Amino acid sequence: MDKRFFGQSLPRNEDAKLLQGKGLYVDDVHLPNMLHVAFFRSPVAHASIEKVDTEKAEAMAGVCGVYCAGDLGEFWREGILVVPPAPIEGIEFHSRTQGPLAKRKVRHVGEPICAVLAESRYIAEDAVACIEVEFKELPAVVDLQAALETSSALVHDELDSNLAAHAIQTKGDYASVREKAALVLEREFVYDRGVAGAMENRGVVAQWDAGSDQLTIWDSTQAPIPVRSILAQYLGLSESQVHVIAPFIGGGFGPKIMLLYPEEQIVPWLAMRMNRPVKWIEDRKENFYATNQERLQIHKAEILFDQTGHILGVKDVFLQDTGAYNPYGLTVPINSQCTLLGPYDIKHYTSEFKSVFTNTTTVSPVRGAGRQHGVFVIERLLDFAAKRLGIDRIEIRRRNFICPHQFPYENRLIYQDFEPLTYDNGNYEVALEEVRRRIGYDRFYENEQAKYKASGRHLGIGVAAYVEGSGIGPYEGARVTVEPSGHVNVATGIGTQGQSHFTVFAQVVAEQLGVPLENIRVTTGDTRRFHWGTGTFASRGAVVAGNACHTAACAVRKKAIELVCKLWGAEGADIVLDGGCIFSRENTSQKMSLGELAVMANPMRGAVEGDTEPGLEATRYYGPKMGTTASGVHAAMVEVDLETCSVSVKRYLVVHDCGKIINPMIVDGQIHGGAAMGLGNVLYENLTILENGEWANANFHDYLMPTAPELPSFETGHVETPSPLNPLGVKGAGEAGAIPVGAVIAQAIEDALSNYDLEICEVPITRNKLFDLLEKCKSAGSSKEKASLL
Amino acid sequence: MGLEDLSETSATTQLKLKVTVNGELRERWVEPRLLLSDFLRHELELTGTHVGCEHGVCGACTIVMDGQAVRSCLMFAIQADGSVLETVESLADEHGNLSPLQSAFKGCHALQCGFCTPGMLMTLKPFVESCSDPSEQDIRNAIAGNICRCTGYHNIVKAVQQCIQSEGETE
């Protein structure tokens, strides 16, 4: 049967509302008698709190209260460990989580110390400016290597050091193959990230209805269901009394899952105390300091090759900055460890990391979630080896790819879902060949690049490949209901931050029920409508929630067919669901609307038989045992201006394999956005830390988010290797665009400037850094001198 | 502005603001320091205009004032006294029929989370009205003051091209 909805680039159900500015985001919630919160946040990175004077603030007209840690009483508690340590043998792990308001010590700039509640946000901020706090400053721990020295100040003085975790994962026996290597390459890589930079800052609104004992919270969170459970527990309420609504959210990208941010904990508490609605909306400066980010890793990697360019083994030792607290455990470094292996057949691997506390904002996943770092290391090593061995860059990758017959391929390392990493399938060579053809690789090297050089222009190409573990558990659920009107309601627990769930889940359901897309209403992220599940993260929405929607829709379809067969005495007939109707293909007089059938499925007389349920409704769950691996190849063509060191991205091509595609237009949109974020991180976004722990550029004037003139048009292609692990055959795609960009651009710049023999081992590659590198090359005199950007 | 436009209460000075918003004359007493973005969003409850940075870079707060795209987060409400303002709520007609630009956005998947979209539309409104044959670079430059973190701008550029082309065809 031809697919009517699945696989079609259908326009989105949610657009009309959003285009008219009618989407409800958290700051759009207006409730009568609402109070507003502003926070006094630490201006210093590391200090003990000696004295807090809130007298002037409390006396201010319009201020309802000023709260410090002591005022929270028993409600004050440290946050949960959201992700416990993975079951890696011999792992060392020290859990330290944030409290809602700092008690005796602050550990990063921006850590909240007092909450001011007032009649307006303006008055609340006036009052915050009147609060005086005396600090005894301590040395700020900002350098990752210095943090591990015995002389370093301690971020957490109960611990012996700033070591948050230490873990080693191995595959095969690296030491045994080292002597056999024809080529051993060793390099140090530094990969820094930045902020997620969602256009909407965070926010929370809470309303306690004392009459009905119900607490309703609007929260810009990616995980409303866990937020509900945690708050119910903290506030001593039944889960059924707490409703968390994630309304339209202006971008998530990772940091909007925290469980719980201090503000998420305090605002509902205040709403209950005051019996008035309370609102807190973050401003952009707070976002730079108080919203989780992802940051620095320093890798020392060694790779072994045989004489034909096959990888014998890889050894990688790295430091990872986890910020002041580590509630998100080791998701980021474990992703780095696992994703380094990429689409390559690497039989011997040892990866060791130390996760380090610093006096900076807490680190938790940002789109890519540590995969970038691993990909940068392996792709750069392949490039340097290609040069040394005289093998073409595309060819050395092809030679090392896992072949289709080798799937399922067991990498054995423990992945972020705590399962041994297994690749279900992939078809990497097909993607690589499409990239080679479409970027015009052969033509470029045969004559184009030389022609550009002859006219004084420096252009180069970069190509990189990666594998993205996606679609991990634990599970998600969905309920599909046909209403008497014939319209369909779909409810699922995960939230939406622009990924088009209102449309793609409707497409999955429409495929089974034959109801027009605009008549399918999808609710996401509202615990009043669906309250089992986890959240939107790790490129899992379409795989996990999508399959739950599919399974529920299949169940409704089966019920509908069984019911009409009974009604028409047509057992075994070929029944069709199309255009909102259900009919027999052989006997077209047997036909009714799905809405009519839904009414008949809920009889006013006659019992519901045995174990059956009324109506045309089904709730189903999908819980994959392990993730499914998407993959891709990216290529870029860049031009470097030697005078200004600016890198202009002329072309950017992504050929991606996320299995079966529900809506190609939407997947392309995800790829465009991911690649744009990647290019921003690699070329423009450079969150710079000062010695005292402050960011030098915590604003949009100085932290350069890419705008339209900086970015190219994106070209995309798709390979569809359906996942064997789920009924829809889909794989994740949300983070893909952002993952290999560092490697692609570094390679392309080196190719454009091949006379200079540079090695770019650091991200971001800003103009200043490129300038320094070129100066080093020039002063070294010979163009054969290597200069490593570190 | 005379003394009748000034009001001193025991708490704050208030000024009388008279401004036309989406064709309707609105009169309010406002504090001098009330931002125009906050006035629109919280006083008039026209929440379509969004606030992303409050320092005039991201463009999410862009509205049209006296025919020009301006950043409402960088203005005090009182500075708009006597002006004619248009916000995103004015683009579709009263039956909810989308404008050609809005329709093009929908057709080309030029929005994902929708947060930057109103600012993007209001920046583009004067542009598409005045520009008949822009190059891709012209379009990118026109939206250089609007940050989008979701779309990579690719589909936004396509939507503008499609809108201008179809407007050209209907003329």
Side-chain angles (χ1 to χ4, degrees), chain A residues 50-80:
Chain A
E50 302 294 300
K51 188 168 164 225
V52 180
D53 184 354
T54 59
E55 220 181 288
K56 282 202 204 106
E58 288 175 71
M60 195 176 274
V63 170
C64 305
V66 181
Y67 304 85
C68 301
D71 300 312
L72 269 48
E74 276 176 23
F75 185 69
W76 194 101
R77 71 188 79 190
E78 277 162 358
I80 62 168

Side-chain angles (χ1 to χ4, degrees), chain A residues 460-503:
Chain A
I461 286 179
V463 177
Y466 62 96
V467 153
E468 177 194 358
S470 69
I472 58 172
Y475 73 90
E476 290 303 330
R479 184 180 61 250
V480 172
T481 312
V482 180
E483 297 203 325
S485 62
H487 288 207
V488 177
N489 265 327
V490 179
T492 179
I494 64 168
T496 309
Q497 309 90 36
Q499 305 94 332
S500 316
H501 294 155
F502 305 104
T503 304

Side-chain angles (χ1 to χ4, degrees), chain A residues 757-776:
Chain A
D757 217 14
L758 354 121
E759 283 192 353
I760 296 171
C761 297
E762 185 169 355
V763 165
I765 311 159
T766 59
R767 294 185 197 189
N768 288 353
K769 288 187 185 175
L770 189 55
F771 177 80
D772 287 341
L773 187 68
L774 287 170
E775 287 300 292
K776 273 204 196 112

Side-chain angles (χ1 to χ4, degrees), chain A residues 427-610:
Chain A
N427 205 347
Y428 313 132
E429 211 172 313
V430 170
L432 189 65
E433 279 312 303
E434 186 175 338
V435 164
R436 177 198 207 106
R437 182 180 55 80
R438 288 177 60 178
I439 200 77
Y441 192 82
D442 300 323
R443 195 174 62 235
F444 186 76
Y445 293 109
E446 272 155 29
N447 56 59
E448 280 170 15
Q449 189 183 44
K451 274 203 199 129
Y452 283 122
K453 276 226 162 23
S455 68
R457 294 175 67 186
H458 305 274
L459 275 83
I461 286 179
V463 177
Y466 62 96
V467 153
E468 177 194 358
S470 69
I472 58 172
Y475 73 90
E476 290 303 330
R479 184 180 61 250
V480 172
T481 312
V482 180
E483 297 203 325
S485 62
H487 288 207
V488 177
N489 265 327
V490 179
T492 179
I494 64 168
T496 309
Q497 309 90 36
Q499 305 94 332
S500 316
H501 294 155
F502 305 104
T503 304
V504 297
F505 295 161
Q507 285 178 257
V508 166
V509 170
E511 194 60 43
Q512 295 305 315
L513 300 183
V515 172
L517 210 65
E518 57 272 18
N519 292 344
I520 302 181
R521 185 186 181 86
V522 177
T523 305
T524 66
D526 183 338
T527 65
R528 299 171 302 185
R529 297 279 297 132
F530 203 91
H531 59 260
W532 290 106
T534 49
T536 317
F537 56 95
S539 300
R540 64 194 290 276
V543 177
V544 193
N547 274 286
C549 289
H550 169 76
T551 321
C554 287
V556 170
R557 180 190 169 85
K558 184 161 176 272
K559 263 192 199 181
I561 291 174
E562 276 171 7
L563 189 54
V564 291
C565 282
K566 220 189 259 177
L567 281 172
W568 298 333
E571 308 297 336
D574 184 6
I575 303 291
V576 179
L577 280 81
D578 194 21
C581 291
I582 183 165
F583 54 92
S584 160
R585 205 192 290 275
E586 296 121 359
N587 183 357
T588 50
S589 68
Q590 289 176 325
K591 178 181 181 160
M592 68 168 78
S593 78
L594 214 53
E596 280 178 71
L597 186 65
V599 172
M600 298 186 82
N602 182 25
M604 292 294 281
R605 281 178 177 68
V608 164
E609 284 172 31

Side-chain angles (χ1 to χ4, degrees), chain A residues 77-120:
Chain A
R77 71 188 79 190
E78 277 162 358
I80 62 168
L81 179 62
V82 181
V83 183
I88 293 170
E89 212 185 296
I91 191 171
E92 184 184 341
F93 183 79
H94 305 281
S95 164
R96 284 295 176 274
T97 58
Q98 67 296 339
L101 293 174
K103 263 188 175 163
R104 49 170 197 87
K105 198 179 170 190
V106 289
R107 296 184 176 87
H108 69 86
V109 176
E111 194 167 357
I113 299 173
C114 309
V116 174
L117 189 61
E119 296 287 340
S120 78

